[in-house]
Amino acid sequence: MIWTVSSNPIANMYGPWFLLFYFVYFLCIIWLTLKAHHLYHAVVSRSEPEDITVNLPNKIDPYFIAWLQHGKERVLRLAMMRLSYEDLLVSGQKQKKNYMRKSATNPDLIQEKQRMLNSVESLTLSCFEEKYEQSREWAFNSLTSSCQRYKSQAQQQGFIPPATRDNIFALIGYTGLILLLGMGVYKLAIAWGKGFDNIIFLSIMAPAFSWLYYRIFLSNRAERPELTEKGKVFLDKLYSSVPRDKQSLKQLDIAMLAVALSTANSIYSQCDFGRHAYKLYLIGPTGSAAAATKSDFSGGSTGTSATSSSNSTSDSDSSSDSSSSGCSGCGGCGGD
């Protein structure tokens, strides 16, 4: 007997039985990928020191902390809140999901505020136009290079696994994807070669399973990092050192850091800076936060904008420092 690519049980398997086999095959590939990730992670974890000591730096960039805690999405949210705080960005009217630059009634003041922005804020602002509402998708994509710098910084400081871990995980993931998609393509090719045309279900299952596998193991749109034990200790220590009383949260650098660190939405209603998340509809206000938002940003929006503008102008030096290099040395964030 001469062996060919169709001389095996899989190639000759009856259609419905192969669909069942392919589903089980898909589950096995997922299990093997998870197992491989777990085994490699366990090996790497053994090499980490048990006694971890972390010293907080004098200068802390809230955008770096936002990325470390939540990923790119929180970096964008923080930047948009800062732009709203400076009265440079406003929410549009289309489903409350689009945004645009504030109309320049005082060009000199606007230019002065823009000069005070750091690179992340300037880049975010450049993605929105005056008088034209736009989604934040462009701004989200534009922050890739900035977040890549944060990733390199976090890897150097040992807060996230090294690049070799990502490369190995990607190798494992793409190997599984090739095996999964390859099996479907192989069966489709055999079916076409034999003249079968009843392959609709397989034509749907193969790309659907491959897409789902990709979303689970290879797609990380938010670019949310996986912390090492050192990274977790660093964030825990920083979280416990940041004051959250009303007086402290009036300082822009502390408020930005508290928002960047927070894992709960309650922080947004506790400070003037945080309530700009409601103003831009970045999160939905509930309960007392909704009442505070209405009183701050509804009928009295003009007064609030003026107050925000005056606050941001008076805090220009400290806010500029906090945007570019983190805490301006208030003491609550580990500063001098």
Side-chain angles (χ1 to χ4, degrees):
M1 178 179 177
I2 300 177
W3 188 92
T4 65
V5 292
S6 60
S7 302
N8 59 77
I10 293 177
N12 297 321
M13 192 176 295
Y14 184 54
W17 287 108
F18 179 82
L19 295 180
L20 178 60
F21 165 80
Y22 194 54
F23 177 72
V24 175
Y25 180 78
F26 168 65
L27 296 180
C28 290
I29 292 293
I30 288 182
W31 181 82
L32 288 173
T33 303
L34 289 172
K35 192 68 175 178
H37 283 183
H38 177 74
L39 290 175
Y40 180 76
H41 183 72
V43 171
V44 173
S45 298
R46 294 194 193 100
S47 62
E48 294 183 2
E50 295 183 0
D51 186 18
I52 301 175
T53 56
V54 176
N55 296 320
L56 298 180
N58 293 331
K59 297 292 185 179
I60 300 176
D61 183 356
Y63 292 103
F64 172 67
I65 301 302
W67 179 85
L68 196 62
Q69 180 76 287
H70 302 280
K72 189 198 293 187
E73 181 64 36
R74 184 59 62 91
V75 175
L76 177 60
R77 179 188 296 184
L78 193 66
M80 292 178 67
M81 290 170 61
R82 174 65 194 277
L83 294 174
S84 176
Y85 181 87
E86 296 290 351
D87 209 23
L88 296 173
L89 186 70
V90 294
S91 176
Q93 299 299 322
K94 297 180 179 179
Q95 299 179 355
K96 301 178 180 179
K97 294 182 179 180
N98 293 342
Y99 307 89
M100 61 183 176
R101 293 194 191 191
K102 180 74 176 291
S103 299
T105 56
N106 188 338
D108 293 336
L109 180 60
I110 294 296
Q111 290 180 4
E112 179 64 25
K113 289 181 177 181
Q114 291 181 8
R115 283 195 292 269
M116 292 162 50
L117 302 178
N118 70 1
S119 59
V120 172
E121 296 156 357
S122 298
L123 187 60
T124 302
L125 183 62
S126 68
C127 296
F128 299 99
E129 299 179 10
E130 186 178 330
K131 299 180 181 179
Y132 294 97
E133 298 181 12
Q134 296 165 283
S135 70
R136 49 181 179 162
E137 184 69 19
W138 185 15
F140 181 86
N141 294 331
S142 70
L143 293 178
T144 299
S145 59
S146 298
C147 292
Q148 194 63 38
R149 291 197 301 270
Y150 294 147
K151 183 177 181 178
S152 299
Q153 178 183 344
Q155 287 175 337
Q156 292 174 0
Q157 296 177 345
F159 296 154
I160 63 174
T164 53
R165 199 291 304 261
D166 293 341
N167 294 336
I168 291 177
F169 273 23
L171 178 62
I172 295 173
Y174 280 110
T175 300
L177 181 63
I178 292 173
L179 291 174
L180 181 62
L181 188 59
M183 178 63 74
V185 172
Y186 170 71
K187 184 62 175 180
L188 285 172
I190 294 296
W192 282 327
K194 293 183 176 181
F196 299 143
D197 54 6
N198 189 18
I199 53 176
I200 296 177
F201 288 110
L202 181 57
S203 300
I204 295 174
M205 287 179 65
F209 285 172
S210 300
W211 177 84
L212 184 59
Y213 179 91
Y214 178 84
R215 292 287 296 177
I216 295 173
F217 295 106
L218 296 170
S219 177
N220 187 10
R221 173 177 165 77
E223 296 183 7
R224 184 168 184 170
E226 181 181 347
L227 299 175
T228 61
E229 289 302 317
K230 184 178 181 180
K232 295 176 182 177
V233 170
F234 170 73
L235 288 181
D236 289 343
K237 188 173 182 179
L238 182 60
Y239 185 89
S240 62
S241 69
V242 176
R244 286 172 177 78
D245 58 279
K246 292 184 178 180
Q247 190 63 32
S248 297
L249 289 176
K250 290 181 179 180
Q251 301 181 49
L252 180 61
D253 54 352
I254 294 180
M256 290 183 67
L257 196 53
V259 169
L261 279 167
S262 177
T263 56
N265 288 348
S266 58
I267 187 65
Y268 294 101
S269 61
Q270 298 176 16
C271 57
D272 292 338
F273 174 78
R275 283 193 284 272
H276 284 268
Y278 302 124
K279 184 177 181 180
L280 293 176
Y281 302 99
L282 297 173
I283 59 175
T286 57
S288 60
T293 303
K294 288 181 180 179
S295 62
D296 286 346
F297 297 129
S298 296
S301 60
T302 304
T304 303
S305 297
T307 303
S308 174
S309 178
S310 64
N311 287 341
S312 62
T313 302
S314 63
D315 292 336
S316 60
D317 294 335
S318 63
S319 65
S320 178
D321 289 341
S322 69
S323 299
S324 58
S325 57
C327 180
S328 59
C330 61
C333 307
D336 295 330

